[in-house]
PDB file of all heavy atoms in Angstrom:
ATOM      1  N   ALA A   9     -15.421   3.411 -22.025  1.00  0.00           N
ATOM      2  CA  ALA A   9     -14.728   3.072 -23.280  1.00  0.00           C
ATOM      3  C   ALA A   9     -13.217   3.012 -23.062  1.00  0.00           C
ATOM      4  O   ALA A   9     -12.456   2.781 -24.003  1.00  0.00           O
ATOM      5  CB  ALA A   9     -15.074   4.092 -24.363  1.00  0.00           C
ATOM      6  N   GLY A  10     -12.779   3.227 -21.822  1.00  0.00           N
ATOM      7  CA  GLY A  10     -11.345   3.129 -21.514  1.00  0.00           C
ATOM      8  C   GLY A  10     -10.985   1.699 -21.118  1.00  0.00           C
ATOM      9  O   GLY A  10     -11.813   0.782 -21.180  1.00  0.00           O
ATOM     10  N   PHE A  11      -9.759   1.533 -20.702  1.00  0.00           N
ATOM     11  CA  PHE A  11      -9.225   0.195 -20.407  1.00  0.00           C
ATOM     12  C   PHE A  11     -10.029  -0.526 -19.318  1.00  0.00           C
ATOM     13  O   PHE A  11     -10.644  -1.570 -19.555  1.00  0.00           O
ATOM     14  CB  PHE A  11      -7.742   0.363 -20.030  1.00  0.00           C
ATOM     15  CG  PHE A  11      -7.106  -0.789 -19.327  1.00  0.00           C
ATOM     16  CD1 PHE A  11      -7.267  -2.091 -19.794  1.00  0.00           C
ATOM     17  CD2 PHE A  11      -6.312  -0.576 -18.192  1.00  0.00           C
ATOM     18  CE1 PHE A  11      -6.653  -3.163 -19.148  1.00  0.00           C
ATOM     19  CE2 PHE A  11      -5.697  -1.632 -17.544  1.00  0.00           C
ATOM     20  CZ  PHE A  11      -5.875  -2.930 -18.012  1.00  0.00           C
ATOM     21  N   ILE A  12     -10.069   0.029 -18.113  1.00  0.00           N
ATOM     22  CA  ILE A  12     -10.702  -0.713 -17.006  1.00  0.00           C
ATOM     23  C   ILE A  12     -12.225  -0.641 -17.117  1.00  0.00           C
ATOM     24  O   ILE A  12     -12.926  -1.625 -16.893  1.00  0.00           O
ATOM     25  CB  ILE A  12     -10.216  -0.192 -15.636  1.00  0.00           C
ATOM     26  CG1 ILE A  12      -8.683  -0.236 -15.572  1.00  0.00           C
ATOM     27  CG2 ILE A  12     -10.800  -1.032 -14.506  1.00  0.00           C
ATOM     28  CD1 ILE A  12      -8.084   0.391 -14.319  1.00  0.00           C
ATOM     29  N   ASP A  32     -19.097   8.189 -21.770  1.00  0.00           N
ATOM     30  CA  ASP A  32     -17.660   8.368 -22.013  1.00  0.00           C
ATOM     31  C   ASP A  32     -17.447   9.519 -22.990  1.00  0.00           C
ATOM     32  O   ASP A  32     -18.150   9.655 -23.988  1.00  0.00           O
ATOM     33  CB  ASP A  32     -17.052   7.079 -22.576  1.00  0.00           C
ATOM     34  CG  ASP A  32     -15.536   7.076 -22.444  1.00  0.00           C
ATOM     35  OD1 ASP A  32     -14.869   7.882 -23.128  1.00  0.00           O
ATOM     36  OD2 ASP A  32     -15.018   6.271 -21.641  1.00  0.00           O
ATOM     37  N   LYS A  33     -16.421  10.313 -22.696  1.00  0.00           N
ATOM     38  CA  LYS A  33     -16.098  11.480 -23.534  1.00  0.00           C
ATOM     39  C   LYS A  33     -15.348  11.086 -24.804  1.00  0.00           C
ATOM     40  O   LYS A  33     -15.174  11.901 -25.703  1.00  0.00           O
ATOM     41  CB  LYS A  33     -15.238  12.437 -22.684  1.00  0.00           C
ATOM     42  CG  LYS A  33     -15.009  13.800 -23.278  1.00  0.00           C
ATOM     43  CD  LYS A  33     -14.176  14.635 -22.295  1.00  0.00           C
ATOM     44  CE  LYS A  33     -13.732  15.948 -22.922  1.00  0.00           C
ATOM     45  NZ  LYS A  33     -12.845  16.702 -22.017  1.00  0.00           N
ATOM     46  N   THR A  35     -12.049  10.440 -25.228  1.00  0.00           N
ATOM     47  CA  THR A  35     -10.764  11.121 -25.405  1.00  0.00           C
ATOM     48  C   THR A  35      -9.860  10.177 -26.193  1.00  0.00           C
ATOM     49  O   THR A  35     -10.285   9.088 -26.595  1.00  0.00           O
ATOM     50  CB  THR A  35     -10.104  11.386 -24.035  1.00  0.00           C
ATOM     51  OG1 THR A  35      -9.774  10.116 -23.454  1.00  0.00           O
ATOM     52  CG2 THR A  35     -11.022  12.168 -23.101  1.00  0.00           C
ATOM     53  N   GLY A  38     -10.226   6.706 -24.958  1.00  0.00           N
ATOM     54  CA  GLY A  38     -11.520   6.032 -25.033  1.00  0.00           C
ATOM     55  C   GLY A  38     -11.738   5.482 -26.435  1.00  0.00           C
ATOM     56  O   GLY A  38     -11.474   6.159 -27.421  1.00  0.00           O
ATOM     57  N   ASP A  58     -19.508  14.096 -21.381  1.00  0.00           N
ATOM     58  CA  ASP A  58     -18.504  14.474 -20.374  1.00  0.00           C
ATOM     59  C   ASP A  58     -19.124  14.361 -18.974  1.00  0.00           C
ATOM     60  O   ASP A  58     -20.252  14.846 -18.766  1.00  0.00           O
ATOM     61  CB  ASP A  58     -18.107  15.934 -20.673  1.00  0.00           C
ATOM     62  CG  ASP A  58     -16.891  16.384 -19.905  1.00  0.00           C
ATOM     63  OD1 ASP A  58     -16.719  15.975 -18.747  1.00  0.00           O
ATOM     64  OD2 ASP A  58     -16.114  17.180 -20.465  1.00  0.00           O
ATOM     65  N   ILE A  59     -18.390  13.787 -18.018  1.00  0.00           N
ATOM     66  CA  ILE A  59     -18.917  13.740 -16.640  1.00  0.00           C
ATOM     67  C   ILE A  59     -19.109  15.146 -16.078  1.00  0.00           C
ATOM     68  O   ILE A  59     -19.849  15.346 -15.127  1.00  0.00           O
ATOM     69  CB  ILE A  59     -18.011  12.925 -15.678  1.00  0.00           C
ATOM     70  CG1 ILE A  59     -16.571  13.454 -15.666  1.00  0.00           C
ATOM     71  CG2 ILE A  59     -18.053  11.446 -15.996  1.00  0.00           C
ATOM     72  CD1 ILE A  59     -15.725  12.929 -14.505  1.00  0.00           C
ATOM     73  N   PHE A  80     -15.373   5.616 -13.366  1.00  0.00           N
ATOM     74  CA  PHE A  80     -14.039   5.248 -13.867  1.00  0.00           C
ATOM     75  C   PHE A  80     -13.426   6.390 -14.683  1.00  0.00           C
ATOM     76  O   PHE A  80     -12.236   6.351 -14.997  1.00  0.00           O
ATOM     77  CB  PHE A  80     -14.119   4.042 -14.820  1.00  0.00           C
ATOM     78  CG  PHE A  80     -14.538   2.740 -14.196  1.00  0.00           C
ATOM     79  CD1 PHE A  80     -15.873   2.450 -13.971  1.00  0.00           C
ATOM     80  CD2 PHE A  80     -13.589   1.791 -13.863  1.00  0.00           C
ATOM     81  CE1 PHE A  80     -16.262   1.242 -13.416  1.00  0.00           C
ATOM     82  CE2 PHE A  80     -13.968   0.566 -13.315  1.00  0.00           C
ATOM     83  CZ  PHE A  80     -15.302   0.301 -13.086  1.00  0.00           C
ATOM     84  N   ALA A  82     -11.527   9.309 -16.167  1.00  0.00           N
ATOM     85  CA  ALA A  82     -10.392  10.096 -15.677  1.00  0.00           C
ATOM     86  C   ALA A  82      -9.383  10.268 -16.799  1.00  0.00           C
ATOM     87  O   ALA A  82      -9.375   9.505 -17.764  1.00  0.00           O
ATOM     88  CB  ALA A  82      -9.711   9.386 -14.499  1.00  0.00           C
ATOM     89  N   SER A  84      -5.643   9.480 -17.135  1.00  0.00           N
ATOM     90  CA  SER A  84      -4.987   8.463 -16.298  1.00  0.00           C
ATOM     91  C   SER A  84      -3.491   8.272 -16.535  1.00  0.00           C
ATOM     92  O   SER A  84      -2.883   7.444 -15.865  1.00  0.00           O
ATOM     93  CB  SER A  84      -5.697   7.115 -16.504  1.00  0.00           C
ATOM     94  OG  SER A  84      -5.413   6.610 -17.789  1.00  0.00           O
ATOM     95  N   THR A  99     -10.920  17.145 -15.723  1.00  0.00           N
ATOM     96  CA  THR A  99     -11.737  15.919 -15.619  1.00  0.00           C
ATOM     97  C   THR A  99     -11.696  15.332 -14.215  1.00  0.00           C
ATOM     98  O   THR A  99     -12.741  15.041 -13.625  1.00  0.00           O
ATOM     99  CB  THR A  99     -11.287  14.876 -16.663  1.00  0.00           C
ATOM    100  OG1 THR A  99     -11.785  15.284 -17.930  1.00  0.00           O
ATOM    101  CG2 THR A  99     -11.815  13.491 -16.336  1.00  0.00           C
ATOM    102  N   SER A 132     -10.379   4.734  -7.733  1.00  0.00           N
ATOM    103  CA  SER A 132      -9.156   5.529  -7.618  1.00  0.00           C
ATOM    104  C   SER A 132      -7.915   4.627  -7.598  1.00  0.00           C
ATOM    105  O   SER A 132      -7.985   3.438  -7.882  1.00  0.00           O
ATOM    106  CB  SER A 132      -9.227   6.441  -6.392  1.00  0.00           C
ATOM    107  OG  SER A 132      -8.187   7.393  -6.452  1.00  0.00           O
ATOM    108  N   TYR A 159      -1.083  13.824 -11.993  1.00  0.00           N
ATOM    109  CA  TYR A 159      -2.141  12.799 -12.068  1.00  0.00           C
ATOM    110  C   TYR A 159      -2.584  12.381 -10.666  1.00  0.00           C
ATOM    111  O   TYR A 159      -3.773  12.445 -10.334  1.00  0.00           O
ATOM    112  CB  TYR A 159      -1.635  11.570 -12.842  1.00  0.00           C
ATOM    113  CG  TYR A 159      -2.479  10.328 -12.618  1.00  0.00           C
ATOM    114  CD1 TYR A 159      -3.801  10.265 -13.060  1.00  0.00           C
ATOM    115  CD2 TYR A 159      -1.963   9.208 -11.941  1.00  0.00           C
ATOM    116  CE1 TYR A 159      -4.585   9.131 -12.839  1.00  0.00           C
ATOM    117  CE2 TYR A 159      -2.734   8.072 -11.721  1.00  0.00           C
ATOM    118  CZ  TYR A 159      -4.043   8.042 -12.172  1.00  0.00           C
ATOM    119  OH  TYR A 159      -4.817   6.925 -11.948  1.00  0.00           O
ATOM    120  N   LYS A 163      -6.181  12.890  -8.680  1.00  0.00           N
ATOM    121  CA  LYS A 163      -7.000  11.778  -8.177  1.00  0.00           C
ATOM    122  C   LYS A 163      -7.211  11.929  -6.663  1.00  0.00           C
ATOM    123  O   LYS A 163      -8.289  11.649  -6.148  1.00  0.00           O
ATOM    124  CB  LYS A 163      -6.323  10.437  -8.479  1.00  0.00           C
ATOM    125  CG  LYS A 163      -6.327  10.030  -9.932  1.00  0.00           C
ATOM    126  CD  LYS A 163      -7.703   9.792 -10.523  1.00  0.00           C
ATOM    127  CE  LYS A 163      -8.375   8.560  -9.969  1.00  0.00           C
ATOM    128  NZ  LYS A 163      -9.667   8.278 -10.685  1.00  0.00           N
ATOM    129  N   CYS A 186      -6.720   1.224  -6.209  1.00  0.00           N
ATOM    130  CA  CYS A 186      -6.131   0.006  -6.780  1.00  0.00           C
ATOM    131  C   CYS A 186      -4.709   0.241  -7.287  1.00  0.00           C
ATOM    132  O   CYS A 186      -4.331   1.352  -7.662  1.00  0.00           O
ATOM    133  CB  CYS A 186      -7.022  -0.486  -7.931  1.00  0.00           C
ATOM    134  SG  CYS A 186      -6.544  -2.106  -8.546  1.00  0.00           S
ATOM    135  N   SER A 187      -3.951  -0.833  -7.325  1.00  0.00           N
ATOM    136  CA  SER A 187      -2.584  -0.801  -7.869  1.00  0.00           C
ATOM    137  C   SER A 187      -2.628  -0.845  -9.403  1.00  0.00           C
ATOM    138  O   SER A 187      -3.709  -0.862 -10.001  1.00  0.00           O
ATOM    139  CB  SER A 187      -1.805  -1.982  -7.311  1.00  0.00           C
ATOM    140  OG  SER A 187      -2.457  -3.179  -7.687  1.00  0.00           O
ATOM    141  N   ASN A 189      -2.955  -1.859 -13.092  1.00  0.00           N
ATOM    142  CA  ASN A 189      -3.679  -2.919 -13.797  1.00  0.00           C
ATOM    143  C   ASN A 189      -2.992  -3.254 -15.111  1.00  0.00           C
ATOM    144  O   ASN A 189      -2.274  -2.422 -15.672  1.00  0.00           O
ATOM    145  CB  ASN A 189      -5.085  -2.450 -14.154  1.00  0.00           C
ATOM    146  CG  ASN A 189      -6.052  -2.410 -12.988  1.00  0.00           C
ATOM    147  OD1 ASN A 189      -7.230  -2.620 -13.151  1.00  0.00           O
ATOM    148  ND2 ASN A 189      -5.571  -2.138 -11.795  1.00  0.00           N
TER     149      ASN A 189
HETATM  150  P1  NAD B 401      -8.152   5.104 -19.397  1.00  0.00           P
HETATM  151  O1  NAD B 401      -7.348   6.337 -19.612  1.00  0.00           O
HETATM  152  O2  NAD B 401      -7.826   3.879 -20.183  1.00  0.00           O
HETATM  153  O3  NAD B 401      -9.699   5.399 -19.630  1.00  0.00           O
HETATM  154  C1  NAD B 401     -10.318   6.560 -19.150  1.00  0.00           C
HETATM  155  C2  NAD B 401     -11.650   6.702 -19.865  1.00  0.00           C
HETATM  156  O4  NAD B 401     -12.304   7.874 -19.344  1.00  0.00           O
HETATM  157  C3  NAD B 401     -11.514   6.900 -21.381  1.00  0.00           C
HETATM  158  O5  NAD B 401     -12.437   6.098 -22.057  1.00  0.00           O
HETATM  159  C4  NAD B 401     -11.842   8.373 -21.575  1.00  0.00           C
HETATM  160  O6  NAD B 401     -12.420   8.644 -22.834  1.00  0.00           O
HETATM  161  C5  NAD B 401     -12.814   8.604 -20.436  1.00  0.00           C
HETATM  162  N1  NAD B 401     -12.894  10.024 -20.032  1.00  0.00           N
HETATM  163  C6  NAD B 401     -11.855  10.886 -19.840  1.00  0.00           C
HETATM  164  N2  NAD B 401     -12.320  12.092 -19.487  1.00  0.00           N
HETATM  165  C7  NAD B 401     -13.673  11.985 -19.425  1.00  0.00           C
HETATM  166  C8  NAD B 401     -14.712  12.893 -19.099  1.00  0.00           C
HETATM  167  N3  NAD B 401     -14.453  14.159 -18.758  1.00  0.00           N
HETATM  168  N4  NAD B 401     -15.987  12.458 -19.142  1.00  0.00           N
HETATM  169  C9  NAD B 401     -16.266  11.178 -19.501  1.00  0.00           C
HETATM  170  N5  NAD B 401     -15.323  10.288 -19.834  1.00  0.00           N
HETATM  171  C10 NAD B 401     -14.039  10.673 -19.786  1.00  0.00           C
HETATM  172  O7  NAD B 401      -8.047   4.802 -17.833  1.00  0.00           O
HETATM  173  P2  NAD B 401      -8.123   3.414 -17.068  1.00  0.00           P
HETATM  174  O8  NAD B 401      -6.757   2.853 -16.974  1.00  0.00           O
HETATM  175  O9  NAD B 401      -9.224   2.617 -17.632  1.00  0.00           O
HETATM  176  O10 NAD B 401      -8.517   3.929 -15.609  1.00  0.00           O
HETATM  177  C11 NAD B 401      -9.882   3.997 -15.197  1.00  0.00           C
HETATM  178  C12 NAD B 401      -9.928   4.516 -13.774  1.00  0.00           C
HETATM  179  O11 NAD B 401      -9.203   3.644 -12.921  1.00  0.00           O
HETATM  180  C13 NAD B 401      -9.292   5.890 -13.606  1.00  0.00           C
HETATM  181  O12 NAD B 401     -10.067   6.628 -12.692  1.00  0.00           O
HETATM  182  C14 NAD B 401      -7.906   5.599 -13.023  1.00  0.00           C
HETATM  183  O13 NAD B 401      -7.470   6.666 -12.215  1.00  0.00           O
HETATM  184  C15 NAD B 401      -8.225   4.371 -12.196  1.00  0.00           C
HETATM  185  N6  NAD B 401      -7.093   3.446 -12.001  1.00  0.00           N
HETATM  186  C16 NAD B 401      -6.349   3.010 -13.059  1.00  0.00           C
HETATM  187  C17 NAD B 401      -5.313   2.107 -12.853  1.00  0.00           C
HETATM  188  C18 NAD B 401      -4.485   1.571 -14.003  1.00  0.00           C
HETATM  189  O14 NAD B 401      -3.497   0.859 -13.769  1.00  0.00           O
HETATM  190  N7  NAD B 401      -4.846   1.815 -15.262  1.00  0.00           N
HETATM  191  C19 NAD B 401      -5.020   1.659 -11.549  1.00  0.00           C
HETATM  192  C20 NAD B 401      -5.797   2.142 -10.493  1.00  0.00           C
HETATM  193  C21 NAD B 401      -6.839   3.022 -10.719  1.00  0.00           C
END
Side-chain angles (χ1 to χ4, degrees):
F11 163 47
I12 305 174
D32 197 292
K33 190 178 171 184
T35 66
D58 191 324
I59 56 166
F80 293 82
S84 71
T99 284
S132 192
Y159 163 66
K163 289 296 291 186
C186 189
S187 60
N189 285 212

